[in-house]
Amino acid sequence: MDYPDCYIKKVGNQNVIGFKDEESTINLVKDAVFFEFSVEVGAEVKIGDRLLVIETMKGTTELTSKISGKIVELNQEIPKDPELLNSKSDVWLLKIE
């Protein structure tokens, strides 16, 4: 399953990807217990490439890229503490240039 409620926000020459502050997204990531990026900074991604995996109490799902480009930054706080996805809304995940 791919997350439908992600945003891509253009900031300068970068595209910031994150979860929208919507109840449907909050329910999808509720009770996150594991989070792992499938990419590293500097990697080139194409549309459809897997970006990350989230495991919740309900199961495991992934987020695939809606754009092509180079990964320039990952939000490293989330893998350290996946529960941040439970407590915050409008969480940015990564940046693609």
Side-chain angles (χ1 to χ4, degrees):
M1 179 181 167
D2 198 9
Y3 287 106
D5 294 322
C6 285
Y7 65 81
I8 300 173
K9 183 181 353 178
K10 187 79 168 169
V11 180
N13 64 340
Q14 296 181 351
N15 296 286
V16 179
I17 299 171
F19 288 127
K20 293 180 183 176
D21 181 13
E22 295 185 9
E23 187 173 336
S24 56
T25 300
I26 292 167
N27 287 334
L28 282 172
V29 298
K30 185 178 180 183
D31 301 322
V33 295
F34 177 78
F35 179 101
E36 180 178 68
F37 286 108
S38 302
V39 294
E40 296 179 359
V41 172
E44 293 286 336
V45 295
K46 299 179 297 223
I47 294 171
D49 286 354
R50 185 170 71 184
L51 298 174
L52 57 90
V53 175
I54 298 175
E55 185 176 317
T56 69
M57 300 301 240
K58 297 176 186 175
T60 303
T61 193
E62 64 182 39
L63 176 70
T64 57
S65 185
K66 306 274 190 260
I67 59 174
S68 297
K70 181 179 178 181
I71 304 294
V72 292
E73 189 173 354
L74 303 172
N75 186 343
Q76 294 295 348
E77 294 304 310
I78 300 170
K80 294 176 191 173
D81 185 7
E83 290 189 11
L84 289 172
L85 295 172
N86 302 332
S87 60
K88 290 185 177 180
S89 55
D90 194 27
V91 176
W92 76 273
L93 303 168
L94 54 100
K95 297 177 183 177
I96 297 178
E97 194 170 79

